[in-house]
């Protein structure tokens, strides 16, 4: 029986990782830690967790993800996304454990007008982006055999995400203005988790892998799809990014090329198909 360890287990991806592990054909013993049971920035917490779990594989879904707040909390974002990730990677390397770390489309440089490949240029255009990029670098420095999965626009039927926000606002307001000039690929956390499980046991070379559901849309397109599928009568209007200023800069184009990981897990399904499943599950929870 293999032993797997999941950090950030209370979040939307962490919960889906638990579900994917339970559904996997392997006979896995699961050790899941949320923020209160394992603070990845504290070496003593990591030592205790590794002593208990003795993992064959560790999945790190713990992260600082408040993109705008990071602009005013750069030290905290760095401590979690860089230092904490490095501590986990080091512990995995010392224990002989495989390590899967999750990163973001924000790390890519702007200027590409095609799906982004793992080898494309990276840069940090915001505090969040810089800490996620530095976190990747620290993970691979501490554990060169680790997997880093870059993903984008993650949603699930629970947690804080764009899909749930659009459901709430669509029911509260008669009209919404949604940014239409930021283009990307939504990712259902359940699909990302299942892909991570397969990658971790695939024997594929270490390094960076993109993963997102297939298809391309804007935030406006995604909001419209959520409302149409849930029969919500809300007038959604497209607006430019300049009409919705935020403290942190967002990527204008962050569609991910997933050909590399498709050779391992198959071509990801279309985001709209995944959204239908997510919304169906959300309805059953209400």
């Amino acid at each position: 029986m293999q032993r797997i360890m999941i950090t950030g287990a209370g979040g939307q991806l962490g919960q889906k990782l638990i579900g994917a592990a339970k559904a996997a054909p392997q006979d896995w013993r699961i050790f899941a830690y949320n923020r209160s049971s394992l603070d990845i920035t504290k070496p003593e917490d990591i030592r205790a967790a590794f002593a208990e779990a003795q993992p064959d594989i560790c999945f790190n879904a713990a992260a600082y993800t408040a993109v705008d707040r990071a602009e005013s909390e750069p030290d905290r974002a760095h401590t979690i996304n860089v230092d904490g990730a490095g501590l986990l990677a080091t512990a995995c390397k010392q224990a002989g454990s495989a390590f899967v770390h999750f990163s973001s489309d924000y790390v890519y440089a702007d200027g590409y007008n095609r799906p982004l490949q793992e080898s494309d240029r990276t840069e940090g255009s915001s505090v969040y982006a810089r800490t996620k990029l530095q976190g990747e670098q620290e993970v691979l420095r501490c554990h060169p055999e680790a997997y880093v999965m870059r993903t984008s626009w993650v949603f699930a039927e629970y947690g804080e995400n764009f899909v749930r926000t659009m459901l709430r606002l669509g029911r509260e307001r008669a009209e919404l203005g949604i940014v239409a000039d930021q283009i990307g690929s939504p990712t259902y956390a359940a699909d990302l988790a299942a892909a991570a499980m397969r990658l971790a046991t695939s024997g594929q070379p270490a390094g960076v892998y993109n993963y997102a559901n297939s298809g391309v849309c804007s935030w406006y397109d995604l909001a419209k799809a959520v409302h149409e599928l849930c029969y919500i009568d809300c007038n959604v209007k497209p607006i430019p990014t300049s009409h919705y200023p935020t403290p942190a800069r967002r990527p204008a184009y962050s569609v991910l090329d997933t050909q590399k990981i498709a050779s391992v897990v198959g071509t990801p399904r279309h985001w709209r198909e995944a959204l239908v499943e997510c919304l169906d599950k959300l309805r059953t929870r209400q």
Side-chain angles (χ1 to χ4, degrees), residues 65-280:
T65 57
V67 175
D68 289 323
R69 194 164 68 239
E71 296 297 310
S72 59
E73 295 183 346
D75 291 343
R76 178 160 174 74
H78 188 281
T79 298
I80 297 171
N81 290 344
V82 184
D83 299 338
L87 288 171
L88 274 177
T90 298
C92 284
K93 178 65 174 176
Q94 292 173 345
S97 309
F99 187 44
V100 180
H101 175 72
F102 296 93
S103 190
S104 169
D105 58 312
Y106 278 63
V107 305
Y108 284 107
D110 279 337
Y112 291 99
N113 292 308
R114 55 156 176 79
L116 301 166
Q117 300 172 350
E118 289 86 351
S119 58
D120 284 336
R121 187 167 57 88
T122 55
E123 67 179 15
S125 58
S126 66
V127 170
Y128 172 74
R130 285 193 294 276
T131 61
K132 291 304 290 182
L133 179 57
Q134 291 165 0
E136 290 184 8
Q137 295 165 345
E138 185 69 2
V139 163
L140 292 173
R141 183 186 71 82
C142 297
H143 193 337
E145 296 80 29
Y147 294 111
V148 171
M149 295 184 73
R150 291 176 181 160
T151 191
S152 59
W153 297 24
V154 179
F155 66 91
E157 58 269 24
Y158 34 68
E160 295 184 12
N161 57 69
F162 183 81
V163 168
R164 283 173 52 84
T165 299
M166 288 302 101
L167 281 173
R168 176 177 57 81
L169 293 180
R171 289 164 176 155
E172 292 174 354
R173 303 181 187 178
E175 183 174 292
L176 289 172
I178 304 297
V179 170
D181 56 358
Q182 293 175 22
I183 307 301
S185 300
T187 306
Y188 186 26
D191 292 352
L192 174 60
M197 293 286 163
R198 292 185 64 181
L199 179 62
T201 57
S202 67
Q204 291 295 307
V208 177
Y209 289 78
N210 286 339
Y211 186 88
N213 285 109
S214 64
V216 177
C217 68
S218 67
W219 291 115
Y220 165 78
D221 297 325
L222 182 54
K224 289 283 288 184
V226 170
H227 290 176
E228 288 169 3
L229 290 168
C230 293
Y231 304 102
I232 293 174
D233 185 16
C234 178
N235 182 21
V236 180
K237 293 184 175 182
I239 63 171
T241 297
S242 59
H243 288 191
Y244 188 73
T246 56
R249 180 182 173 189
R250 264 66 173 175
Y253 183 91
S254 59
V255 177
L256 299 180
D257 185 314
T258 58
Q259 292 183 70
K260 182 178 178 181
I261 202 167
S263 65
V264 183
V265 305
T267 301
R269 61 177 167 168
H270 196 275
W271 65 264
R272 193 175 177 98
E273 179 186 347
L275 178 63
V276 169
E277 179 181 319
C278 174
L279 293 174
D280 284 344

